[in-house]
Amino acid sequence: MRMRAPLARDRDRGQVTIEFLGMTPTIIVTLVVLWQLVLVGYTFTLAGNAADEAVRAATAAEYDREGKCRQAGLDKLSDAWRAGAEVSCGGTGSGYITSDVKLQVPVLFPGTIAFPFTVKGHAGAVEEAK
């Protein structure tokens, strides 16, 4: 009985599976890092928008400016970002109102743990004439 040489495709059988299994951890780590970068960017967007909303409400307020500023800054934030949010307004009496918002960046899943640094949003507007 004569033995024949194995074909090239027979020698490579299973190679794609082995290479895919070897690359799976790299693919997963890359996806996790990209998702975390998306969360950081989204937190910056939320902080800026919350500061804009807060200063807009503060410039139109006739009374309780700080309370309306804080309420407007927290209004459109979801519970995951609202939990650690800090909203403050300043500049009363000078004609120029400012708003500062600090949000914590979540780690992978909003509402669970957060990184030990905060993202800051700042906005300012001229006080509306009464």
Side-chain angles (χ1 to χ4, degrees):
M1 195 160 138
R2 192 173 141 199
M3 306 249 328
R4 67 180 175 102
L7 298 173
R9 66 177 171 204
D10 291 335
R11 287 186 308 219
D12 291 340
R13 186 171 300 206
Q15 185 64 32
V16 172
T17 304
I18 297 298
E19 288 176 3
F20 179 73
L21 287 175
M23 288 299 295
T24 299
T26 304
I27 293 168
I28 291 172
V29 167
T30 302
L31 290 175
V32 166
V33 168
L34 288 174
W35 175 246
Q36 189 59 53
L37 290 173
V38 166
L39 284 177
V40 170
Y42 187 58
T43 304
F44 271 101
T45 302
L46 286 176
N49 184 55
D52 287 341
E53 293 288 332
V55 79
R56 189 176 301 122
T59 57
E62 293 182 24
Y63 61 91
D64 190 26
R65 180 171 283 157
E66 185 68 32
K68 290 187 179 188
C69 171
R70 180 165 170 67
Q71 179 184 3
L74 296 174
D75 186 41
K76 293 195 170 98
L77 294 176
S78 68
D79 292 336
W81 278 273
R82 189 180 300 147
E86 297 176 27
V87 179
S88 62
C89 285
T92 57
S94 64
Y96 187 74
I97 308 295
T98 60
S99 172
D100 294 301
V101 175
K102 295 179 184 177
L103 300 177
Q104 295 180 340
V105 178
V107 177
L108 294 183
F109 301 104
T112 56
I113 58 175
F115 281 116
F117 66 89
T118 58
V119 169
K120 298 172 185 164
H122 177 79
V126 177
E127 190 173 7
E128 292 183 7
K130 308 244 183 317

